[in-house]
Amino acid sequence: MLHCIFLLSDSGEVMLEKQLTGHQVDRSICVWFWDQIISQGDSLKLVPVIASPTHYLFQVVREGITFLACTQVEMPPLMAIEFLSRVADVLTDYLGSLNEDLIKDNFVIVYELLDEMIDNGFPLTTEPNILREMIAPPNIVSKVLSVVTGNVSNMSNTLPGATSSCVPWRKTDLKHASNEVYVDLVEEMDAIINRDGALVKCEIYGEVQVNSQLSGLPDLTLSFANPSILNDMRFHPCVRLRPWEANQILSFVPPDGEFKLMSYRVKKLKSTPIYVKPQLSSDSGTCRISVLVGIRNDPGKSIDSITVQFRLPPCVLSADLSANHGAVNILADKTCSWSIGRIPKDKAPSMSGTMALETGLQRLNVFPSFQVSFRIMGVALSGLQIDKLDLKNLPSRPYKGFRALTRAGEFEVRS
Amino acid sequence: MAPPAQSQKSASPSQPSGKGEVSDVKMQLRQLAGSRSPGTDDAKRELFKKVISYMTIGIDVSSVFSEMVMCSATSDIVLKKMCYLYVGNYAKYNPDLALLTINFLQRDCKDEDPMIRGLALRSLCSLRVANLVEYLVGPLGTGLKDGNSYVRMVAAIGVLKLYHISASTCMDADFPAMLKHLMLNDKDAQVVANCLTSLQEIWGLEASTSEEAARERETLLSKPVIYYFLNRIKEFSEWAQCIVLDLVAKYVPSDSNEIFDVMNLLEDRLQHANGAVVLATIKMFLQLTLSMTDVHQQVYERIKAPLLTLVSSGSPEQSYAVLSHLHLLVMRAPFIFSSDYKHFYCQYNEPFYVKKLKLEMLTAVANESNTYDIVTELCEYAANVDIPMARESIRAVGKIALQQYDVNAIVDRLLQFLEMEKEHVTAETLVLVKDLLRKYPQWSHDCIAVVGNISSKNVQEPKAKAALIWMLGEYAQDMQDAPYILESLIENWDEEHSAEVRLHLLTAIMKCFLRRPPETQKALGAALAAGLADFHQDVHDRALFYYRLLKYNVTVAERVVDPPKQAVSVFADTQSSEIKDRIFDEFNSLSVVYQKPSYMFTDKEHRGPFEFSEELGNLSIDTELADNVVPAQRVEANDKDLLLSTSEKEDNHGASNNSSAYNAPSYDGSRMVAASQAQQDLVSLDQPPPADVPASLAIDDLLGLGLPVAPSPAPSPPALKLNAKAVLDPNSFQQKWRQLPLAASQEISMNPQGVSCIVKSSGSSSAYARSFHPLHCFRWSSPELQVLFLRTKRGRAFYLSCGLYFNRLCPNLVCLRDQSWKKMIE
């Protein structure tokens, strides 16, 4: 049971305070909390669950905004953390993104949302679809509409039908002019590559994202050509689990709009689409660095938005880096980022240069890790393929669309 | 009207006091209140927004309360919401004016729009003004019977709010019975869930006073009710599922078939997208199968994949919470994740708290087959840019080495660290090599060869320096230069700021002297002289002690300072298995994150969440509360040695108590009787935790000087001046207190009435029956002396320990030690 929720800006100012129970939590707790953060140096480093003299505090940081919840009683920590993450997600969804100004401009909506999401310290509903029916998001359309009609209320006047329907995530009488459903496979590749080029760990975390614009109460079945490669799945509450267990078929009545149908992991992949080969050699106070990037396993589609990032070791005083393709930037916090974009056909991109070490240091003694990001449209690198999508219970023939996308998640090359 | 102190206090000085603005708004509101012109709502909306934004940034706007209420007659729902928000925040401090709001809230409770009915009811229940409860009963009663589920849902929680304002009103109106009916019959799952939360809390709090409530609480756990919830589990929202699963985890199925039924029914919850649901399910599975060993193992297998997904897919905060639980599991069953160790490899971008837990996981899952890979990975981190991370990973390597897998390879790696020539790496590694050598003396040759090459100038951290010096002393015969290195260190005695290092230096030079007398004699003399002149009491005392010991008899000195050592086979585990079991019972709770059972950190909780004083938010009171919590942990953690000391004094009493405490290593206990067993004490002095030194050394001093041990409070030695403003933090006080020998004892008998009076004074009889606060302090005084009682609880017995404070006898001696333990059986 949570007693209170605070939203703090990145300077520690209380932007919002929502008391949830009769036990009022004084704001001074935030001052205490912020002192802790300052003493830790970096808010990201502060443990998510900490004990203050009076309360137990849960914190989740998103885009510089700290979501802080207080409790005095024993409760599942993951419940609080998960709830705060959902609050952050819902707010991002409502406000378009998340920053201090947006929250301050729309604090009434934030209050309204929190009011519906949690009562007396117990989470009620965090399903964006249901919330959206109770509280209209502050989008341009509604702004225009309110100017035109003179009705300024950003609140729908009807009670969500969903709360009483038998399918809690969907209201019964939806109507769409165009009947469309889009299924996206979005995969992230997490990999660690050692300095000798060996793959230490390579995994794919994937999501099946569905955007459904369908009328009535449609019943969908989605099947994969090769479901056996999936390691562990998690499903949206709408998925019926029996058909999955029996035949690996996803059978569900979709919520309206965008949602995450399932997430999965594929373990132990054998190769990565690109290689990044850093080489560092140092001698008498200078260090030569060269990084080579190229395609290792052609996925069949073009790989774009390739960037390589690394943090210069603290013992490096200055660096002079240049690349034969793309741009190299060194930021103030010693982060060096090399954006390559696409790999050209005629040459292999490489970056090279020298770094001057601290006086007295002969050789480099800490080695940076290189974070690589890339994006491949049209391919799911895990090899997962959608077999077919059947729709039942629909008034008219719908349009079905499929897409796939793979991008680098935590893709790390050590040197 | 008196402005509430609360919000005034919280407004930080940098923010505008807002007085001018507030009175401005007040004027405008007043003008709008009566007006019925078309644009009023828009103007009102702007003003309301302003008021609420002032409220949000912490300006006290309670002075516009009456104006706000006057303006609240509106049909605009957003205006209503803002008004409800305002009223809910300030009604508590304006109970008289709150009455004004009742009228419009009650009217809204009868609105035709269910949303408004619900919102109004929620606000009505959130006013929390005790003298308005009579107005609540009616709307709540209708709310519970409302045709719309939204209103019923709000009303169900409203009953709980009413209960906290006035329990008697709630019970008199028979709301719990209505809730129960609703819980078992309503077709909306959220209503059912809200009823359940309300009932759990109400009956839980009532159970101590009313038998009926206790019975009702039992029925919640009865088979039909549990089955009713389980059958509807899929209808509940994810959060409600957590609550239901929590309830089911308390249910005890009658036979194994039932257990399997429940588990089959809930197995798919493991694939829920919400981590909280997954963890609640896992908790239930583990609890259900505790008695069935083989099924329990299968459960471990089953929950592995979902847990690993939770770790790798969520935000860092989620990973942290899940990893804490994984750590607990892996402690109980190290094998479950031993093949999935790669999941705990750290990524560069992860926050430190996640990495640290992952390192702990890697240490815990290491076994014969994966040690090589894991240590290789850990070595990568040691070269990492992130210094704390590098340190932690070296520590992890050391921990794995102490677990005895593939030590050979690890020692090689550790020695490679020393060659990396990075100060923090060298420092960490030295400490580890020292521990390794204590466990595996057979590696000394390899290690010494490398350690000997390290220049002590490159080692600055006290811990590492102490470790290096220890090795120099311990392996003086194997290291050619040992005496000379030590000598050069002694020459720089004055530049050495850490007392710990100086203490080690003394011991090391002693050892070195005993093995290679001719080379060391000069250095020893210099060291003893420097030590005797040292301003630090402990260093001084140790030097004096060595000096006298050597003067008395060198062979005795050798027996004391440098006896043949046995390799340490097991380093003391910091957590007892009993505590681990307690934490496991509290799976999916904060205990896991803190790695302490909840009674150690939430003793307030037993009182129920709402019995705290209203000013609790005030930090000055807070610190006192915090102090209450901290000793509780300390006393519990230390009561092992407390028990040991008791056993010496009161054999007949303690024996029946807790056998596990007696099996604990007697390391701590030996310190208690240190004075009489100098030899044993000195052996342990070899690696003393720094805080222990003062007291025991003081005792040595007494012995060495041959002063009679005074039976009554000994006059303090002239060198010691009592500091008028002594400051001692509770922890070290406790430690010192325990180390003092029994100075005087006096039997004071207390009649049973007095005892029961103490018991009563520590809490109402109902709280007493339910659960003890682990720690309670109270005072009993008479003209000559004050007795402070400290009550600690352990198992079914509890102890009273008392401290005596003499009021008149010795004004400058603050306290004497007299620990007499009284055990009372419940």
Side-chain angles (χ1 to χ4, degrees):
Chain A
M1 187 169 84
L2 299 172
H3 287 315
C4 188
I5 293 178
F6 294 103
L7 265 63
L8 307 182
S9 73
D10 52 5
S11 56
E13 179 197 350
V14 182
M15 294 192 290
L16 207 107
E17 169 185 350
K18 174 85 184 153
Q19 301 284 346
L20 301 171
T21 63
H23 165 72
Q24 296 261 339
V25 184
D26 192 81
R27 269 184 188 208
S28 50
I29 194 96
C30 295
V31 179
W32 182 90
F33 172 77
W34 204 254
D35 287 345
Q36 293 288 309
I37 288 205
I38 289 168
S39 67
Q40 292 284 320
D42 186 359
S43 68
L44 267 177
K45 279 188 190 150
L46 200 63
V47 177
V49 188
I50 49 174
S52 82
T54 39
H55 293 82
Y56 301 97
L57 305 180
F58 302 93
Q59 61 140 347
V60 163
V61 186
R62 293 281 181 282
E63 317 285 338
I65 311 257
T66 308
F67 294 79
L68 188 71
C70 315
T71 184
Q72 260 179 331
V73 294
E74 180 71 278
M75 68 175 292
L78 196 59
M79 189 161 160
I81 290 176
E82 190 94 34
F83 177 73
L84 290 179
S85 315
R86 294 296 176 86
V87 172
D89 291 348
V90 169
L91 289 187
T92 319
D93 189 41
Y94 258 78
L95 308 177
S97 72
L98 209 56
N99 62 44
E100 205 180 321
D101 294 338
L102 271 176
I103 290 183
K104 282 186 178 163
D105 291 348
N106 296 293
F107 65 88
V108 175
I109 289 198
V110 181
Y111 274 126
E112 284 180 55
L113 281 170
L114 283 176
D115 220 21
E116 295 300 338
M117 284 162 84
I118 187 164
D119 193 8
N120 207 38
F122 297 105
L124 290 177
T125 178
T126 46
E127 192 63 53
N129 285 308
I130 298 179
L131 287 171
R132 208 171 284 133
E133 284 172 41
M134 291 198 250
I135 300 145
N139 54 16
I140 297 171
V141 179
S142 69
K143 261 187 202 149
V144 172
L145 213 74
S146 67
V147 173
V148 175
T149 59
N151 175 12
V152 210
S153 167
N154 60 351
M155 151 92 214
S156 61
N157 290 319
T158 53
L159 194 72
T163 43
S164 53
S165 91
C166 60
V167 193
W169 51 87
R170 189 181 176 88
K171 56 178 181 180
T172 38
D173 51 347
L174 274 168
K175 286 204 172 58
H176 285 283
S178 62
N179 273 323
E180 300 167 323
V181 57
Y182 297 97
V183 181
D184 293 352
L185 288 182
V186 179
E187 300 197 333
E188 281 187 4
M189 178 175 254
D190 296 337
I192 300 176
I193 297 164
N194 249 349
R195 67 176 55 119
D196 45 9
L199 207 54
V200 177
K201 168 182 153 182
C202 185
E203 252 191 18
I204 288 226
Y205 170 79
E207 286 178 2
V208 181
Q209 295 174 353
V210 179
N211 186 356
S212 118
Q213 313 278 334
L214 300 168
S215 313
L217 258 181
D219 204 323
L220 277 62
T221 42
L222 179 70
S223 57
F224 298 107
N226 48 353
S228 57
I229 63 165
L230 304 178
N231 276 112
D232 184 49
M233 292 73 62
R234 293 209 277 162
F235 300 110
H236 188 272
C238 70
V239 176
R240 301 185 187 99
L241 289 145
R242 294 276 173 261
W244 175 263
E245 273 160 25
N247 311 313
Q248 266 88 55
I249 290 170
L250 288 168
S251 157
F252 58 97
V253 176
D256 197 39
E258 282 181 47
F259 67 100
K260 185 168 90 183
L261 181 65
M262 74 180 270
S263 63
Y264 57 87
R265 272 186 310 132
V266 179
K267 281 197 292 192
K268 293 185 183 142
L269 270 85
K270 294 285 181 294
S271 71
T272 56
I274 60 173
Y275 67 81
V276 174
K277 282 185 186 158
Q279 274 186 326
L280 288 107
S281 60
S282 52
D283 181 20
S284 62
T286 53
C287 172
R288 295 197 53 77
I289 179 171
S290 85
V291 185
L292 287 174
V293 178
I295 292 179
R296 169 172 285 151
N297 271 329
D298 197 343
K301 297 272 162 90
S302 74
I303 308 174
D304 57 16
S305 317
I306 303 177
T307 56
V308 177
Q309 259 199 1
F310 66 101
R311 177 75 67 99
L312 295 174
C315 57
V316 169
L317 288 179
S318 64
D320 175 26
L321 304 169
S322 62
N324 66 353
H325 184 86
V328 183
N329 281 313
I330 300 178
L331 306 177
D333 62 345
K334 282 195 162 183
T335 307
C336 171
S337 118
W338 174 28
S339 47
I340 301 169
R342 266 175 214 204
I343 293 181
K345 287 210 173 66
D346 49 339
K347 60 182 175 187
S350 74
M351 177 183 76
S352 58
T354 53
M355 300 189 285
L357 304 183
E358 261 172 9
T359 44
L361 206 62
Q362 290 300 307
R363 287 185 298 135
L364 194 67
N365 56 10
V366 279
F367 298 100
S369 306
F370 295 79
Q371 275 84 51
V372 183
S373 60
F374 58 81
R375 198 177 59 167
I376 311 170
M377 304 292 287
V379 177
L381 273 185
S382 67
L384 187 70
Q385 277 169 346
I386 294 176
D387 187 30
K388 60 178 183 219
L389 175 67
D390 288 329
L391 295 93
K392 274 181 237 155
N393 213 356
L394 270 177
S396 61
R397 246 183 95 78
Y399 173 77
K400 297 185 277 191
F402 302 96
R403 277 186 306 186
L405 164 71
T406 302
R407 56 174 175 243
E410 295 283 342
F411 194 104
E412 180 177 318
V413 182
R414 291 171 180 163
S415 62
Chain B
M1 71 197 76
Q6 193 89 1
S7 36
Q8 286 260 301
K9 231 181 293 158
S10 53
S12 74
S14 65
Q15 280 156 354
S17 70
K19 279 216 175 96
E21 289 93 328
V22 173
S23 55
D24 223 33
V25 169
K26 193 170 179 168
M27 289 292 293
Q28 294 176 25
L29 276 173
R30 207 165 260 174
Q31 284 164 6
L32 281 176
S35 128
R36 285 190 197 282
S37 58
T40 319
D41 271 1
D42 281 351
K44 272 188 192 170
R45 193 190 286 254
E46 282 312 308
L47 277 176
F48 274 36
K49 246 185 177 167
K50 212 181 250 175
V51 170
I52 301 226
S53 73
Y54 286 157
M55 189 178 95
T56 303
I57 58 173
I59 295 174
D60 180 19
V61 279
S62 59
S63 54
V64 295
F65 198 92
S66 48
E67 284 78 10
M68 286 292 278
V69 174
M70 275 192 268
C71 286
S72 58
T74 168
S75 57
D76 185 290
I77 197 155
V78 176
L79 267 182
K80 268 191 202 300
K81 277 190 177 183
M82 288 199 270
C83 195
Y84 294 156
L85 184 69
Y86 175 86
V87 167
N89 230 7
Y90 287 110
K92 212 172 174 182
Y93 308 106
N94 297 301
D96 305 334
L97 286 167
L99 192 62
L100 298 173
T101 61
I102 291 284
N103 194 14
F104 84 86
L105 282 174
Q106 273 189 329
R107 202 174 53 235
D108 283 353
C109 283
K110 291 175 190 133
D111 198 283
E112 58 182 22
D113 184 346
M115 189 105 194
I116 293 185
R117 287 206 298 276
L119 285 171
L121 189 57
R122 183 179 288 162
S123 313
L124 198 58
C125 298
S126 305
L127 290 181
R128 300 195 171 93
V129 180
N131 53 8
L132 297 182
V133 284
E134 52 189 299
Y135 301 101
L136 268 176
V137 179
L140 265 181
T142 22
L144 285 173
K145 295 189 194 99
D146 199 286
N148 191 292
S149 59
Y150 183 79
V151 186
R152 291 200 301 277
M153 180 180 99
V154 172
I157 287 290
V159 171
L160 180 59
K161 290 178 185 165
L162 170 65
Y163 178 81
H164 285 307
I165 308 167
S166 161
S168 56
T169 321
C170 177
M171 300 312 276
D172 290 347
D174 212 16
F175 279 135
M178 289 168 78
L179 282 184
K180 191 182 172 192
H181 177 80
L182 214 54
M183 178 179 80
L184 296 176
N185 297 298
D186 203 284
K187 66 180 186 351
D188 185 274
Q190 191 61 53
V191 178
V192 174
N194 284 3
C195 290
L196 175 64
T197 38
S198 296
L199 281 179
Q200 269 188 309
E201 199 164 327
I202 293 176
W203 281 337
L205 290 171
E206 280 291 299
S208 53
T209 50
S210 136
E211 267 185 35
E212 197 201 335
R215 217 170 35 244
E216 289 288 5
R217 196 167 63 147
E218 290 304 309
T219 49
L220 273 184
L221 288 172
S222 67
K223 195 168 166 176
V225 178
I226 292 286
Y227 275 47
Y228 164 77
F229 282 120
L230 284 178
N231 287 328
R232 296 188 66 172
I233 189 105
K234 281 175 192 154
E235 299 169 30
F236 290 110
S237 79
E238 45 201 337
W239 310 107
Q241 286 187 14
C242 294
I243 292 161
V244 171
L245 287 169
D246 205 40
L247 179 78
V248 178
K250 293 184 198 134
Y251 171 65
V252 186
S254 55
D255 57 23
S256 55
N257 283 338
E258 213 182 331
I259 292 179
F260 289 123
D261 285 349
V262 172
M263 284 178 28
N264 282 334
L265 188 71
L266 293 178
E267 196 182 351
D268 51 26
R269 294 300 104 197
L270 290 175
Q271 280 166 336
H272 200 280
N274 187 321
V277 176
V278 177
L279 221 53
T281 315
I282 288 175
K283 172 182 181 162
M284 216 198 70
F285 276 30
L286 290 173
Q287 297 286 2
L288 281 178
T289 57
L290 263 184
S291 54
M292 303 185 282
T293 325
D294 46 335
V295 188
H296 200 60
Q297 300 306 329
Q298 287 172 22
V299 169
Y300 280 133
E301 282 302 318
R302 179 65 188 85
I303 61 181
K304 201 164 89 175
L307 278 171
L308 290 175
T309 308
L310 276 180
V311 172
S312 47
S313 61
S315 64
E317 291 92 351
Q318 284 156 321
S319 305
Y320 170 80
V322 178
L323 277 170
S324 311
H325 286 88
L326 279 182
H327 190 247
L328 179 68
L329 286 179
V330 90
M331 284 302 175
R332 289 178 67 92
F335 57 87
I336 47 172
F337 296 112
S338 56
S339 57
D340 298 278
Y341 56 90
K342 283 193 179 171
H343 279 280
F344 307 118
Y345 282 6
C346 302
Q347 302 272 3
Y348 179 79
N349 285 335
E350 280 165 339
F352 181 62
Y353 54 80
V354 171
K355 284 185 185 170
K356 190 162 180 252
L357 273 176
K358 283 190 166 179
L359 286 182
E360 276 173 30
M361 288 299 291
L362 283 175
T363 352
V365 299
N367 62 15
E368 288 89 344
S369 56
N370 57 21
T371 297
Y372 185 81
D373 286 349
I374 291 180
V375 173
T376 312
E377 177 73 13
L378 288 174
C379 292
E380 293 283 340
Y381 307 148
N384 205 300
V385 186
D386 190 2
I387 290 177
M389 182 65 190
R391 282 176 188 276
E392 286 293 334
S393 46
I394 295 169
R395 267 176 228 155
V397 174
K399 267 189 215 153
I400 295 179
L402 294 179
Q403 283 168 6
Q404 241 165 349
Y405 301 116
D406 203 2
V407 186
N408 195 352
I410 297 174
V411 172
D412 282 352
R413 294 269 177 57
L414 280 180
L415 296 180
Q416 278 170 19
F417 287 157
L418 290 179
E419 285 157 10
M420 279 164 71
E421 288 177 8
K422 268 191 283 183
E423 200 184 314
H424 60 273
V425 175
T426 313
E428 257 341 299
T429 315
L430 277 177
V431 177
L432 273 179
V433 171
K434 180 203 72 186
D435 284 343
L436 266 181
L437 287 179
R438 288 172 66 201
K439 185 162 181 179
Y440 310 109
Q442 67 268 31
W443 294 106
S444 60
H445 272 286
D446 302 69
C447 297
I448 291 312
V450 183
V451 170
N453 292 334
I454 295 173
S455 158
S456 56
K457 290 189 190 70
N458 293 346
V459 184
Q460 291 307 326
E461 282 168 49
K463 265 213 150 77
K465 211 164 184 179
L468 181 65
I469 291 170
W470 182 84
M471 283 187 273
L472 286 170
E474 192 63 37
Y475 298 97
Q477 73 279 23
D478 302 326
M479 277 193 270
Q480 270 302 311
D481 307 338
Y484 309 106
I485 301 176
L486 287 173
E487 196 174 341
S488 67
L489 283 168
I490 288 164
E491 275 165 20
N492 297 325
W493 183 277
D494 291 334
E495 287 155 35
E496 187 50 65
H497 298 292
S498 155
E500 189 191 354
V501 175
R502 295 201 300 272
L503 283 171
H504 272 278
L505 203 50
L506 275 175
T507 313
I509 197 81
M510 269 295 272
K511 284 184 195 162
C512 192
F513 170 72
L514 292 166
R515 289 171 197 177
R516 300 164 71 173
E519 292 160 279
T520 327
Q521 198 174 10
K522 197 170 136 248
L524 178 67
L528 287 180
L532 284 173
D534 202 282
F535 60 89
H536 195 277
Q537 191 70 39
D538 302 343
V539 181
H540 168 81
D541 288 353
R542 191 180 281 194
L544 192 64
F545 172 67
Y546 284 161
Y547 172 66
R548 283 170 199 254
L549 204 55
L550 285 170
K551 222 168 134 186
Y552 172 67
N553 187 338
V554 179
T555 23
V556 172
E558 178 157 19
R559 255 197 2 246
V560 171
V561 182
D562 195 19
K565 284 194 189 56
Q566 280 185 340
V568 186
S569 57
V570 183
F571 282 89
D573 201 344
T574 43
Q575 268 182 349
S576 71
S577 60
E578 187 201 352
I579 286 184
K580 280 182 190 156
D581 283 350
R582 283 291 289 269
I583 301 177
F584 184 71
D585 289 342
E586 292 167 22
F587 193 84
N588 198 18
S589 72
L590 287 170
S591 319
V592 182
V593 177
Y594 291 118
Q595 302 193 357
K596 278 178 205 140
S598 62
Y599 70 90
M600 285 191 183
F601 62 93
T602 55
D603 68 333
K604 298 173 274 186
E605 196 191 330
H606 302 303
R607 281 177 249 163
F610 290 94
E611 278 187 28
F612 308 120
S613 65
E614 290 297 344
E615 296 83 352
L616 206 118
N618 198 325
L619 275 181
S620 63
I621 294 174
D622 298 345
T623 37
E624 279 173 39
L625 279 170
D627 280 347
N628 270 345
V629 183
V630 178
Q633 299 168 2
R634 189 176 55 243
V635 169
E636 285 294 337
N638 288 333
D639 63 10
K640 215 177 265 169
D641 37 354
L642 289 181
L643 274 180
L644 280 170
S645 70
T646 349
S647 69
E648 245 117 42
K649 290 171 208 152
E650 294 196 0
D651 285 345
N652 47 342
H653 282 312
S656 63
N657 189 30
N658 194 329
S659 58
S660 76
Y662 288 90
N663 300 335
S666 59
Y667 188 71
D668 293 333
S670 68
R671 251 183 260 139
M672 298 297 298
V673 287
S676 58
Q677 297 172 338
Q679 172 126 14
Q680 202 181 338
D681 181 46
L682 283 162
V683 175
S684 73
L685 258 183
D686 220 35
Q687 290 297 323
D692 293 339
V693 179
S696 37
L697 273 180
I699 295 156
D700 296 340
D701 200 8
L702 285 179
L703 279 179
L705 290 168
L707 281 177
V709 180
S712 59
S716 32
L720 271 176
K721 267 193 184 161
L722 283 181
N723 184 351
K725 289 173 189 164
V727 180
L728 199 60
D729 74 307
N731 261 318
S732 45
F733 173 76
Q734 186 78 7
Q735 221 156 13
K736 294 204 165 141
W737 172 269
R738 268 204 321 272
Q739 276 150 3
L740 291 169
L742 191 68
S745 67
Q746 189 181 8
E747 282 286 333
I748 302 168
S749 56
M750 201 199 271
N751 57 358
Q753 277 172 334
V755 174
S756 67
C757 159
I758 286 166
V759 169
K760 272 182 196 144
S761 73
S762 64
S764 68
S765 58
S766 62
Y768 171 70
R770 247 188 308 142
S771 52
F772 281 114
H773 308 308
L775 182 114
H776 206 90
C777 231
F778 33 95
R779 210 166 71 168
W780 174 71
S781 53
S782 70
E784 307 83 35
L785 45 88
Q786 286 187 3
V787 189
L788 261 182
F789 288 94
L790 187 72
R791 197 184 65 189
T792 45
K793 189 201 168 206
R794 189 176 179 88
R796 289 179 60 79
F798 68 96
Y799 300 90
L800 276 181
S801 70
C802 13
L804 292 183
Y805 286 65
F806 286 78
N807 285 345
R808 294 185 196 151
L809 294 178
C810 322
N812 63 341
L813 202 70
V814 185
C815 57
L816 289 174
R817 177 185 161 108
D818 172 25
Q819 256 193 352
S820 66
W821 294 79
K822 294 217 159 70
K823 185 178 136 196
M824 288 181 274
I825 305 217
E826 223 178 298

